[in-house]
Amino acid sequence: MSESVYKIIEMVGASPTSWEDATQNAIKSAGLSIRDLRIAEVEKLDMKIEDGKVALFRARVKLSFKVLSD
Amino acid sequence: MSESVYKIIEMVGASPTSWEDATQNAIKSAGLSIRDLRIAEVEKLDMKIEDGKVALFRARVKLSFKVLSD
Amino acid sequence: MSESVYKIIEMVGASPTSWEDATQNAIKSAGLSIRDLRIAEVEKLDMKIEDGKVALFRARVKLSFKVLSD
Amino acid sequence: MSESVYKIIEMVGASPTSWEDATQNAIKSAGLSIRDLRIAEVEKLDMKIEDGKVALFRARVKLSFKVLSD
Amino acid sequence: MSESVYKIIEMVGASPTSWEDATQNAIKSAGLSIRDLRIAEVEKLDMKIEDGKVALFRARVKLSFKVLSD
Amino acid sequence: MSESVYKIIEMVGASPTSWEDATQNAIKSAGLSIRDLRIAEVEKLDMKIEDGKVALFRARVKLSFKVLSD
Amino acid sequence: MSESVYKIIEMVGASPTSWEDATQNAIKSAGLSIRDLRIAEVEKLDMKIEDGKVALFRARVKLSFKVLSD
Amino acid sequence: MSESVYKIIEMVGASPTSWEDATQNAIKSAGLSIRDLRIAEVEKLDMKIEDGKVALFRARVKLSFKVLSD
Amino acid sequence: MSESVYKIIEMVGASPTSWEDATQNAIKSAGLSIRDLRIAEVEKLDMKIEDGKVALFRARVKLSFKVLSD
Amino acid sequence: MSESVYKIIEMVGASPTSWEDATQNAIKSAGLSIRDLRIAEVEKLDMKIEDGKVALFRARVKLSFKVLSD
Amino acid sequence: MSESVYKIIEMVGASPTSWEDATQNAIKSAGLSIRDLRIAEVEKLDMKIEDGKVALFRARVKLSFKVLSD
Amino acid sequence: MSESVYKIIEMVGASPTSWEDATQNAIKSAGLSIRDLRIAEVEKLDMKIEDGKVALFRARVKLSFKVLSD
């Protein structure tokens, strides 16, 4: 088993549809510059409301990715 | 930028379908008497089980709304 | 199963006797204006001390009650 | 009102689709051996990512079920 | 001093009288099958309310018991 | 010593100057409709940033006030 | 209003009877050397079990007392 | 990727040497009856002191293991 | 409403004057390389003491900023 | 680098002006009997309200100081 | 079973070698003035880094000791 | 005293030997690109288990380093 080192970054994704979709948007954005994304942990879920209705589902996530193997 | 004051109330919504729908039910109910709802933060998610199956998805949320502008 | 919405309020009750009695005082007070109280969750227990003795047991509770059925 | 005693167990369910489905898989698995499941409380939500995409939604839940009535 | 291993289980006990009694009911129920119970830690206290009065005091506890000595 | 019951509400105040001023704005707003405010506990402090500068200091507080004496 | 400074110490009291009594034993012990005890906040409640029965109710409390007025 | 369900149990291991050894004793004990142990998360570390010296390092861990694959 | 993705970074600012000033120093430093800073959430406040006096007020903050719009 | 041991005590300071001033009052009081105070960590901020206005800003802090060097 | 009262103090120990050694240094220091130390609970672990290497392992612990038996 | 600003990043290190070694691997990896690392705070400790034995000790740490002096 490798003794990899991982780094963890925190992001907030949003979607008008669902929290699953909101986290996937955060992952997609992180994936533009980071390879080897491994786990996304949900830190917080909330919703932006406009005119009495949900405008955006938002998910704050911690994303981990490998930075070093040996 | 306004120096508004916000009030925060706590509610529990339920739905047989999803947690997204459960929170929307809480927002809909709050919206009957409160205008200017702004954010719904998820405090807790759980499920009521009946006969070994999910009967209700429930979401406890904190709802914030404006009470004073200047 | 109903898809009721619940509201949650936070109160502090006190009693010279016990925390059970302190929470019951909070429930009694809330019950004067709210029907359908359902659950009281203990958030914090403390005691007021006077002359080296417990003067009051105090209980901070979250009380939930039904606000909408469908 | 009965003075039942409940036991609480902790499980992790997974699904390629949603967290709702992930928790239902945990309940289904627990339900095979435990009757009278009552509540599933969400402890943690995360996602397993593969090739930059969500491979699995995972939900860690606490399941309560009746062990004694009188 | 022994290097025992302990296991921890989580239960909810209830009583119409007090939280002390509620936890004792959980211990009594657990004690039917588990010997060597050692500590019960309170995780959460709440109350079920009916007709504006406390129907049940409930205590969620973590119970530890010895599983291995050497 | 009285066995008063207190109610707790949650508010967010804002100020361009300081967190002390932000909480005082929340207290001032609450005081328009509530007498006997007693304690304001800080739940969260944050800042809204505009053009790289702090536009508003915001404080989320829990305010307690007496609802019943005997 | 005085601008007193308070000190906070942490103690564990025990009683075979109740958590109320356990905390009162901690307060009694602290009162032997400290005057002006003011508040006891409950940090943790547990029970020591012997032969399947509660031997001791224990309460961990934070006790505050005045150390300086001006 | 499999949609396995995991169960999580909580144990306390002890060792006169180190917390690493304490957790390994908990894992060893759990492994006598459970296969497919996967992760041990540390919940709490403490030490039992005797005659002013550490008698035992203790680690409370949550152990997860697979209960169902499909 | 845009479905922006935000990134969150954690910084510690310091000031001999106040926590408001300490957080503003962190924001100023972050602003040298990051545009569109939006919110700074306080994670922790402390003080460095020298010769019995406060030498520095320090604030640990989480700063969020936009990384992707669509 | 020294292998010093530090002790941590908990105090509450108050001030009619600000939380910065409240913590400095706690530090000043602790400094009467303790040398080598090093760090004050904020545990809780609240305010005492009288006649609808802030009478006192209060800060609960943990103060650390050196007890042994080698 | 005795109804002893325990007091809890908080200390930080350090060691260039390990966290086990760091906590033992805190216990050794406390033992100079306190008898009947019983349990040391780990509150926080950190490391001081110098020139890119660990200079000190540090452990913040809560130490409990008996203050009164009856 | 300088009014430096610090940045905090989160990493996970691993080692087959100990948590001390696991954190040192995270520090070593971070040190390849970051100078002036100062403190590593432990956020979480866990273990990866293979064939009933510990394969890796893992430590999630927050690392702080100076980004600006004045």
Side-chain angles (χ1 to χ4, degrees):
Chain A
M1 168 157 287
S2 77
E3 294 165 33
S4 306
V5 171
Y6 291 87
K7 193 171 173 197
I8 294 167
I9 57 168
E10 199 167 359
M11 299 190 81
V12 180
S15 155
T17 316
S18 70
W19 285 305
E20 279 82 354
D21 199 41
T23 48
Q24 281 171 318
N25 285 341
I27 291 167
K28 208 182 301 169
S29 170
L32 296 178
S33 56
I34 300 167
R35 300 202 325 160
D36 281 322
L37 290 168
R38 191 188 48 145
I39 303 276
E41 298 170 284
V42 175
E43 291 292 302
K44 185 179 178 176
L45 300 174
D46 70 7
M47 289 176 294
K48 194 143 183 30
I49 305 169
E50 292 187 342
D51 300 328
K53 287 182 184 158
V54 175
L56 281 178
F57 293 92
R58 297 188 298 200
R60 188 193 279 213
V61 290
K62 289 204 170 180
L63 290 161
S64 62
F65 55 95
K66 199 179 288 194
V67 289
L68 183 85
S69 304
D70 43 25
Chain B
M1 165 156 289
S2 76
E3 292 164 35
S4 305
V5 172
Y6 291 87
K7 194 172 173 197
I8 294 167
I9 57 168
E10 200 167 0
M11 299 189 82
V12 180
S15 153
T17 315
S18 71
W19 284 306
E20 280 83 355
D21 199 41
T23 49
Q24 281 171 316
N25 285 340
I27 291 167
K28 207 182 303 169
S29 171
L32 296 178
S33 55
I34 299 168
R35 301 203 321 162
D36 280 321
L37 289 168
R38 192 188 49 147
I39 303 277
E41 298 170 285
V42 175
E43 291 293 302
K44 185 178 180 177
L45 300 175
D46 70 7
M47 289 176 294
K48 194 141 185 30
I49 306 168
E50 291 187 343
D51 301 326
K53 287 180 185 158
V54 175
L56 281 178
F57 293 93
R58 296 186 301 197
R60 188 194 280 214
V61 290
K62 289 205 172 180
L63 291 161
S64 62
F65 55 95
K66 198 178 291 195
V67 288
L68 184 85
S69 304
D70 43 25
Chain C
M1 167 156 286
S2 77
E3 292 164 35
S4 306
V5 171
Y6 291 87
K7 195 174 170 196
I8 294 167
I9 57 168
E10 200 166 0
M11 299 189 82
V12 180
S15 154
T17 316
S18 70
W19 284 306
E20 279 84 354
D21 200 40
T23 48
Q24 282 171 316
N25 285 340
I27 290 166
K28 208 182 300 169
S29 171
L32 297 179
S33 55
I34 299 168
R35 301 203 323 160
D36 280 322
L37 290 168
R38 189 188 52 146
I39 304 277
E41 297 170 284
V42 174
E43 291 293 302
K44 184 178 179 177
L45 300 174
D46 69 7
M47 290 176 294
K48 193 144 184 29
I49 306 170
E50 292 186 342
D51 301 326
K53 285 178 186 161
V54 175
L56 281 179
F57 292 93
R58 296 187 300 200
R60 188 193 280 214
V61 290
K62 288 204 171 179
L63 291 161
S64 62
F65 56 96
K66 199 179 289 193
V67 287
L68 185 84
S69 304
D70 41 27
Chain D
M1 167 157 287
S2 77
E3 293 165 33
S4 305
V5 171
Y6 290 87
K7 193 172 174 198
I8 293 166
I9 58 169
E10 200 166 359
M11 299 189 81
V12 180
S15 154
T17 315
S18 70
W19 284 306
E20 279 83 354
D21 200 41
T23 47
Q24 283 171 317
N25 286 340
I27 291 167
K28 208 181 301 169
S29 170
L32 296 177
S33 55
I34 300 164
R35 302 202 321 159
D36 282 320
L37 286 170
R38 191 188 49 146
I39 304 276
E41 299 170 283
V42 174
E43 292 292 302
K44 185 179 179 176
L45 300 175
D46 70 6
M47 289 176 295
K48 193 142 186 29
I49 305 168
E50 292 186 342
D51 301 327
K53 286 180 185 160
V54 175
L56 280 179
F57 293 92
R58 296 186 299 198
R60 188 194 280 214
V61 290
K62 288 205 172 181
L63 292 161
S64 61
F65 55 94
K66 201 178 286 192
V67 288
L68 185 85
S69 304
D70 43 24
Chain E
M1 166 155 289
S2 77
E3 293 164 35
S4 306
V5 172
Y6 291 87
K7 194 174 171 196
I8 293 167
I9 56 168
E10 199 167 359
M11 299 189 82
V12 180
S15 153
T17 315
S18 71
W19 284 306
E20 280 83 353
D21 200 41
T23 48
Q24 282 171 318
N25 286 341
I27 291 167
K28 207 181 301 166
S29 171
L32 297 178
S33 55
I34 300 164
R35 301 204 323 159
D36 283 320
L37 286 170
R38 191 187 51 143
I39 303 277
E41 298 170 283
V42 174
E43 291 294 303
K44 184 178 179 177
L45 300 174
D46 71 6
M47 289 175 296
K48 193 143 183 30
I49 305 169
E50 292 187 341
D51 301 327
K53 287 180 184 159
V54 175
L56 280 179
F57 293 93
R58 297 186 298 198
R60 188 193 279 214
V61 290
K62 288 205 171 179
L63 292 161
S64 62
F65 56 95
K66 199 178 289 194
V67 287
L68 183 84
S69 304
D70 44 24
Chain F
M1 166 154 290
S2 76
E3 292 164 35
S4 306
V5 171
Y6 291 87
K7 193 171 171 196
I8 294 167
I9 57 168
E10 200 166 359
M11 299 188 83
V12 180
S15 154
T17 316
S18 71
W19 285 305
E20 279 83 355
D21 200 41
T23 48
Q24 283 171 316
N25 285 341
I27 291 167
K28 206 181 304 168
S29 170
L32 297 178
S33 55
I34 300 168
R35 301 203 322 161
D36 281 322
L37 289 169
R38 190 187 51 144
I39 303 276
E41 299 170 283
V42 175
E43 291 292 303
K44 184 177 180 178
L45 300 174
D46 71 6
M47 289 175 295
K48 193 142 183 32
I49 305 169
E50 292 187 341
D51 299 326
K53 286 180 184 159
V54 174
L56 281 178
F57 293 92
R58 295 186 300 198
R60 188 193 279 214
V61 291
K62 288 204 171 179
L63 292 160
S64 61
F65 55 97
K66 199 178 291 194
V67 287
L68 183 85
S69 304
D70 43 25
Chain G
M1 166 156 286
S2 76
E3 293 165 34
S4 306
V5 171
Y6 291 87
K7 194 173 172 197
I8 294 167
I9 57 169
E10 200 166 0
M11 299 190 81
V12 180
S15 154
T17 315
S18 71
W19 284 306
E20 279 84 353
D21 200 41
T23 47
Q24 282 171 316
N25 286 341
I27 291 167
K28 209 182 300 169
S29 170
L32 297 178
S33 56
I34 299 168
R35 301 204 322 162
D36 280 322
L37 289 168
R38 189 189 49 145
I39 303 276
E41 298 171 284
V42 174
E43 291 293 303
K44 185 179 180 176
L45 301 174
D46 71 6
M47 290 176 294
K48 194 144 183 29
I49 305 169
E50 290 186 344
D51 301 326
K53 287 181 186 159
V54 175
L56 280 179
F57 293 93
R58 296 186 300 199
R60 187 192 280 213
V61 290
K62 289 206 170 179
L63 291 160
S64 61
F65 55 95
K66 199 178 289 195
V67 287
L68 184 85
S69 305
D70 42 25
Chain H
M1 168 156 285
S2 77
E3 293 164 32
S4 305
V5 171
Y6 291 87
K7 193 173 172 196
I8 294 168
I9 57 169
E10 200 166 0
M11 300 190 80
V12 180
S15 154
T17 315
S18 71
W19 284 306
E20 279 83 355
D21 201 41
T23 47
Q24 282 171 316
N25 285 341
I27 291 166
K28 206 182 302 169
S29 170
L32 297 178
S33 55
I34 299 168
R35 302 203 321 161
D36 281 321
L37 289 168
R38 189 188 50 145
I39 304 276
E41 298 170 284
V42 174
E43 292 291 304
K44 185 178 179 177
L45 300 174
D46 70 7
M47 289 177 294
K48 192 143 185 30
I49 306 168
E50 291 187 342
D51 302 326
K53 285 178 186 162
V54 174
L56 280 179
F57 293 93
R58 296 185 300 199
R60 187 193 280 214
V61 290
K62 288 204 172 180
L63 292 160
S64 62
F65 55 95
K66 199 178 289 193
V67 288
L68 185 85
S69 305
D70 42 26
Chain I
M1 167 155 287
S2 76
E3 292 165 35
S4 305
V5 171
Y6 291 87
K7 194 174 172 196
I8 293 167
I9 58 168
E10 199 167 0
M11 300 190 81
V12 180
S15 155
T17 315
S18 71
W19 284 306
E20 279 83 355
D21 200 41
T23 48
Q24 282 171 317
N25 286 340
I27 290 167
K28 208 181 301 169
S29 170
L32 297 178
S33 55
I34 299 167
R35 301 203 324 160
D36 280 321
L37 289 169
R38 190 187 50 144
I39 304 276
E41 298 170 284
V42 175
E43 291 293 302
K44 185 178 180 176
L45 300 174
D46 71 6
M47 289 176 295
K48 193 142 184 29
I49 305 169
E50 290 186 343
D51 301 326
K53 286 179 185 159
V54 174
L56 280 179
F57 293 92
R58 296 186 299 200
R60 187 193 281 213
V61 290
K62 289 204 171 179
L63 291 160
S64 62
F65 55 96
K66 200 179 288 195
V67 288
L68 185 84
S69 305
D70 43 26
Chain J
M1 166 154 288
S2 76
E3 294 165 34
S4 305
V5 171
Y6 291 87
K7 194 173 171 196
I8 294 166
I9 58 168
E10 199 167 0
M11 299 190 81
V12 180
S15 153
T17 315
S18 70
W19 284 305
E20 279 82 354
D21 200 42
T23 48
Q24 281 170 317
N25 286 340
I27 290 167
K28 207 181 303 169
S29 170
L32 297 178
S33 55
I34 300 167
R35 300 202 324 159
D36 280 322
L37 288 169
R38 191 188 48 144
I39 303 275
E41 299 169 284
V42 175
E43 291 293 304
K44 184 179 179 176
L45 301 174
D46 70 7
M47 290 174 296
K48 193 144 181 31
I49 306 169
E50 291 187 344
D51 301 327
K53 287 180 184 159
V54 174
L56 282 177
F57 292 93
R58 297 186 299 199
R60 188 193 278 213
V61 290
K62 289 205 171 179
L63 292 160
S64 62
F65 55 96
K66 200 179 288 195
V67 288
L68 183 86
S69 303
D70 44 24
Chain K
M1 167 155 287
S2 78
E3 294 166 33
S4 305
V5 172
Y6 290 87
K7 194 173 170 196
I8 294 167
I9 57 169
E10 199 166 359
M11 299 190 81
V12 179
S15 154
T17 316
S18 70
W19 285 305
E20 279 83 355
D21 201 40
T23 47
Q24 282 171 317
N25 285 342
I27 291 167
K28 207 182 300 167
S29 170
L32 297 177
S33 55
I34 299 168
R35 302 202 322 161
D36 281 323
L37 289 168
R38 191 188 49 144
I39 303 276
E41 298 170 283
V42 174
E43 292 291 304
K44 185 178 179 178
L45 301 174
D46 70 7
M47 289 176 295
K48 193 145 183 29
I49 305 169
E50 292 186 341
D51 301 327
K53 285 180 185 160
V54 174
L56 281 178
F57 293 92
R58 296 186 300 200
R60 187 193 280 213
V61 289
K62 288 205 171 180
L63 291 161
S64 61
F65 54 95
K66 200 179 288 194
V67 288
L68 184 85
S69 304
D70 42 24
Chain L
M1 168 154 287
S2 75
E3 294 165 33
S4 306
V5 171
Y6 291 87
K7 195 173 171 195
I8 294 167
I9 56 168
E10 199 166 0
M11 299 189 82
V12 180
S15 155
T17 316
S18 71
W19 285 304
E20 279 84 354
D21 201 42
T23 48
Q24 282 171 316
N25 285 341
I27 291 166
K28 206 181 303 167
S29 170
L32 297 178
S33 55
I34 299 167
R35 301 204 322 161
D36 281 321
L37 289 169
R38 190 187 51 142
I39 303 277
E41 298 170 285
V42 174
E43 292 292 303
K44 184 178 179 177
L45 301 174
D46 71 5
M47 290 176 294
K48 193 144 184 27
I49 306 169
E50 291 187 342
D51 301 326
K53 286 179 185 161
V54 174
L56 281 178
F57 293 92
R58 296 186 299 199
R60 187 194 280 213
V61 290
K62 288 204 171 178
L63 291 161
S64 61
F65 56 95
K66 199 179 290 195
V67 288
L68 185 85
S69 303
D70 43 26

